[in-house]
Amino acid sequence: MNSGPEHTNNPPATTAPATANSTVAAAATVITNIARLVTNDPSLGDGSPLGLIQDAAVVIDGDRIAWVGETSKAPATDNRFDAAGRAAVPGFVDSHSHLVFAGDRTAEFNARMSGRAYRAGGIRTTVAATRAATDEALEANLTRYLREALRQGTTTFETKSGYGLTVQDEARALRIAAAHTDEVTYLGAHIVSPDYADDPAGYVELVTGPMLEACAPYARWIDVFCEKGAFDGDQARAILTAGAARGLHPRIHANQLSHGPGVQLAVELDAASADHCTHLTDADVDALASGNTVATLLPGAEFSTRAQWPDARRLLDAGATVALSTDCNPGSSFTSSMPFCVALAVRDMGMTPDEAVWSATAGGAAALRRTDIGRVTPGARADLALLDAPSHVHLAYRPGVPLVAQVWRRGERVR
């Protein structure tokens, strides 16, 4: 299930304009009678950040959006699909997940729900299971969760290594992931490997040396867990700088469990995203608002660990760009549901339904530095989900209900 990103910031030169008289191929497909369409293009529809169009239609030509507008103005095509009054949103963009792993951590979750605090060290349990698993078992597990996410409207995902922590195991994790998405992140610096428990500096040398050389060909990004119990600011800087020298762009697990240097380092290094952002100073918020780094919030982690919720309202009011993602992993956020994260963000993080839907689509695209996904506008990739509801607001209004009725990815109906 390759999400196939082209990593382009501009639509093709042949993109049809968003006008009612645009010429589209007869063999294209038009989806009509969409009650409310979220385009994430403010130049369309009601002019809001969501670019809402009522009684809308979308024309898909190949793997691209060719036209959007009102159903009454839709061009003729050979293929038609009647949305029957459903709402439509761009395919969700899950910009932070950990899907190459084996085993689960049910016992840890049960203990945590019985009062034990969450700590970074639980990752070691998954490391042991992942190292023992075959390539076939790891790939089967990965594709299982990708199918699960697709059923819930996720059409683009990022995923990381980080549960191998040896040169061989990190490289194989990325090789397996790269067969399914181009948004692959090298996270050899998830925690200090148990093999180097008494030599953290030696492990940083491994991560920035032989492990990086083996992993870089499979990855687009490099990440580090900058946190007490994982890597400090100096170690994180060394790891991300080494990755950048090999052509990998940085992103950071930052300020999840406590205040720390992660957010400031992310902005300084022009990281695409600082992920978690739970414990922020005013200076951290100002840095995110003034820089290009997206604050990616992961409410599934706070839900699963009973931790303090990130303050999305504070970030948004300051002018920071916010993304939502699942953080799907077996330890601290075992959910693949972007709709669930939207509902949590609205209920517990101070976001409006409009803001949460934008952050789960266009915000995730921004966290991956992409403009060809996360929106339904001419030239964008034809990724969208029809909801069994008349409005996108139902994603928060009806939490836990499987509202995604149909999904198109790269122009193909896949559900």
Side-chain angles (χ1 to χ4, degrees):
M1 186 177 111
N2 196 322
S3 65
E6 294 82 14
H7 308 314
T8 178
N9 287 326
N10 298 299
T14 57
T15 295
T19 61
N21 59 3
S22 298
T23 300
V24 298
T29 297
V30 61
I31 304 171
T32 60
N33 298 321
I34 299 170
R36 181 176 292 185
L37 171 66
V38 174
T39 69
N40 288 336
D41 184 343
S43 72
L44 299 175
D46 65 356
S48 70
L50 293 191
L52 293 171
I53 302 176
Q54 307 287 341
D55 190 16
V58 175
V59 175
I60 297 172
D61 192 355
D63 66 351
R64 297 284 158 172
I65 302 294
W67 183 94
V68 296
E70 298 175 6
T71 290
S72 62
K73 300 175 182 177
T77 65
D78 288 344
N79 304 302
R80 298 179 69 86
F81 183 92
D82 189 346
R86 295 182 174 92
V89 299
F92 295 116
V93 180
D94 191 347
S95 61
H96 182 127
S97 73
H98 305 251
L99 298 181
V100 185
F101 68 88
D104 71 17
R105 282 150 64 186
T106 305
E108 177 189 325
F109 176 79
N110 191 39
R112 192 163 61 243
M113 294 300 103
S114 302
R116 191 177 76 189
Y118 173 69
R119 295 180 178 85
I123 294 167
R124 294 182 182 87
T125 303
T126 303
V127 169
T130 302
R131 288 180 177 181
T134 65
D135 290 9
E136 292 76 16
L138 291 176
E139 185 157 29
N141 206 44
L142 169 67
T143 56
R144 171 190 173 187
Y145 294 116
L146 296 185
R147 289 192 298 268
E148 185 178 277
L150 182 64
R151 290 195 299 269
Q152 299 171 91
T154 297
T155 52
T156 300
F157 71 97
E158 176 270 0
T159 200
K160 310 175 192 294
S161 65
Y163 292 128
L165 309 186
T166 67
V167 173
Q168 178 181 351
D169 286 307
E170 286 295 293
R172 74 164 178 155
L174 294 174
R175 173 175 49 77
I176 290 168
H180 298 273
T181 181
D182 287 348
E183 300 294 353
V184 177
T185 301
Y186 166 46
L187 183 58
H190 202 178
I191 58 169
V192 174
S193 169
D195 308 320
Y196 285 79
D198 298 324
D199 186 15
Y203 187 64
V204 172
E205 290 181 4
L206 180 70
V207 168
T208 58
M211 189 183 287
L212 174 60
E213 290 302 308
C215 291
Y218 301 108
R220 182 185 180 201
W221 307 96
I222 185 168
D223 198 344
V224 60
F225 190 9
C226 184
E227 185 61 68
K228 293 177 182 176
F231 298 89
D232 64 25
D234 290 339
Q235 292 169 326
R237 181 189 302 277
I239 290 163
L240 296 176
T241 301
R246 285 289 280 112
L248 304 184
H249 203 84
R251 50 200 322 112
I252 307 178
H253 284 61
N255 301 56
Q256 177 186 5
L257 306 178
S258 61
H259 293 98
V263 164
Q264 296 288 338
L265 182 61
V267 176
E268 176 191 334
L269 298 181
D270 190 35
S273 66
D275 297 15
H276 288 288
C277 294
T278 307
H279 298 274
L280 302 179
T281 65
D282 289 345
D284 292 332
V285 174
D286 290 343
L288 288 165
S290 61
N292 296 318
T293 299
V294 173
T296 299
L297 308 184
L298 310 168
E302 280 69 40
F303 177 86
S304 184
T305 61
R306 288 180 173 162
Q308 173 183 324
W309 296 99
D311 190 346
R313 183 80 269 135
R314 181 184 180 197
L315 287 161
L316 290 165
D317 288 348
T321 301
V322 172
L324 290 175
S325 188
T326 65
D327 191 19
C328 187
N329 75 82
S332 61
S333 183
F334 206 2
T335 180
S336 59
S337 175
M338 289 290 280
F340 176 63
C341 291
V342 167
L344 290 179
V346 173
R347 168 62 178 79
D348 292 302
M349 288 163 44
M351 301 184 85
T352 68
D354 282 11
E355 289 167 338
V357 169
W358 188 96
S359 293
T361 52
L368 296 175
R369 297 210 164 158
R370 302 273 299 277
T371 59
D372 61 322
I373 56 176
R375 58 199 183 105
V376 179
T377 189
R381 207 171 75 180
D383 296 345
L384 69 156
L386 284 184
L387 307 179
D388 194 11
S391 167
H392 63 282
V393 177
H394 281 234
L395 290 165
Y397 181 43
R398 304 195 67 208
V401 177
L403 293 179
V404 176
Q406 281 90 28
V407 180
W408 279 261
R409 188 185 62 216
R410 295 179 65 93
E412 296 289 331
R413 185 180 168 191
V414 292
R415 183 183 177 205

